[in-house]
Amino acid sequence: RGAPPETLQLQVRRLETCWIVTKPDRVLVIFSVSLEDKADVALGRAFCQEFADTTCKLADSAPLCSFNEPRDMPSSLRGFALSEAPNVGFLTLTLLDEAARGASDERLASLARPVMTWRNFFSFHLKHAKSYLHSRLRRRIDYWSGQLARSKRPPKKSKAGGGGRAP
């Protein structure tokens, strides 16, 4: 058993990189996450934080997950220079040696699948979260439009004859 291989750096998208860091007892897969729209950045950061918090509470079969803000680079990447810091942050998925040791090929594939498809998973949920928020906003606007329409006073009816008395 030799030393772990060097860290592998993969360019996933124009502003996003994935690092595969091997340690003697685990493998870390670190994603830098960047989005172009400011609203997407806010939603993406909230999603990543919630994803990391939720994944920590799941069963042993789920990879461990952590999230770092853009200004707080994961310690495993301290030696790497970034051309541009991500605007959402860094998401780290950790695969422990205990989960993979002696596992069948099918089990190894089931461990790797969530890691390999994480960016698609993230994009899917981000789009659906935006769609859900937009539909709620539309419903809210429709509600308030209806309230405004009902609150308008009816126009005053003018009396025929100009309001003066006849002689």
Side-chain angles (χ1 to χ4, degrees):
R1 197 172 174 162
E6 291 182 30
T7 299
L8 181 62
Q9 182 175 344
L10 306 166
Q11 191 71 35
V12 180
R13 293 173 181 240
R14 187 173 60 85
L15 296 173
E16 295 182 345
T17 306
C18 173
W19 294 270
I20 300 173
V21 181
T22 55
K23 306 268 182 173
D25 60 339
R26 64 190 176 277
V27 174
L28 305 172
V29 181
I30 304 169
F31 294 94
S32 67
V33 183
S34 288
L35 298 168
E36 294 186 17
D37 185 51
K38 287 182 181 181
D40 288 354
V41 170
L43 280 172
R45 187 170 293 146
F47 178 83
C48 286
Q49 289 169 338
E50 190 63 30
F51 185 75
D53 292 344
T54 304
T55 312
C56 290
K57 299 170 187 158
L58 292 177
D60 295 336
S61 62
L64 299 174
C65 183
S66 64
F67 177 71
N68 295 70
E69 295 287 334
R71 65 185 176 280
D72 183 26
M73 184 182 243
S75 60
S76 300
L77 298 180
R78 296 277 191 241
F80 288 91
L82 293 176
S83 58
E84 190 172 332
N87 57 8
V88 174
F90 298 93
L91 189 94
T92 304
L93 299 172
T94 304
L95 300 169
L96 298 175
D97 187 37
E98 296 90 37
R101 186 178 301 147
S104 66
D105 288 344
E106 186 178 309
R107 173 71 178 139
L108 290 174
S110 71
L111 285 171
R113 190 171 297 111
V115 174
M116 296 182 324
T117 59
W118 184 84
R119 188 58 170 89
N120 293 340
F121 173 85
F122 174 71
S123 295
F124 173 83
H125 286 288
L126 185 65
K127 285 179 186 177
H128 281 75
K130 286 172 55 177
S131 175
Y132 174 72
L133 289 174
H134 286 178
S135 68
R136 284 194 58 193
L137 286 171
R138 281 192 297 273
R139 262 185 276 149
R140 181 68 56 102
I141 288 171
D142 289 345
Y143 170 77
W144 285 112
S145 294
Q147 292 291 345
L148 283 172
R150 282 191 294 278
S151 68
K152 287 183 181 177
R153 292 183 179 167
K156 292 184 179 180
K157 296 181 181 178
S158 62
K159 296 179 182 179
R165 293 188 161 196

